[in-house]
Amino acid sequence: MSKQSLYYASDKQLSEFLEVSRQTIWRWVREGKFPTPIKLGPNCTRWKLSDVKAWEASREAAA
């Protein structure tokens, strides 16, 4: 596993972890309900895991 993969996640990885579809993640991004991804290359869009963990913690605190 590369060092980069420890800090960034793809929409597929996040959809499996959050148990939602990839389309749901992108809809949440469009609606401003999920962290904005980072474009690492022409065909490489990822989310910083620290951003996703902070988002998850804020949802747990609100529940």
Side-chain angles (χ1 to χ4, degrees):
M1 182 176 281
S2 71
K3 186 173 183 175
Q4 186 177 25
S5 67
L6 297 174
Y7 301 108
Y8 296 96
S10 67
D11 58 352
K12 183 176 188 236
Q13 291 169 319
L14 290 175
S15 70
E16 290 171 4
F17 175 73
L18 298 171
E19 298 179 347
V20 298
S21 69
R22 293 168 65 191
Q23 292 84 358
T24 297
I25 291 174
W26 286 105
R27 180 172 38 85
W28 288 347
V29 169
R30 283 191 311 273
E31 294 171 352
K33 297 178 182 178
F34 197 72
T36 304
I38 301 169
K39 197 131 175 86
L40 297 176
N43 297 310
C44 184
T45 302
R46 300 289 186 264
W47 281 262
K48 287 177 63 176
L49 287 179
S50 59
D51 292 346
V52 174
K53 287 179 181 179
W55 170 84
E56 188 175 30
S58 71
R59 286 181 46 100
E60 289 174 1

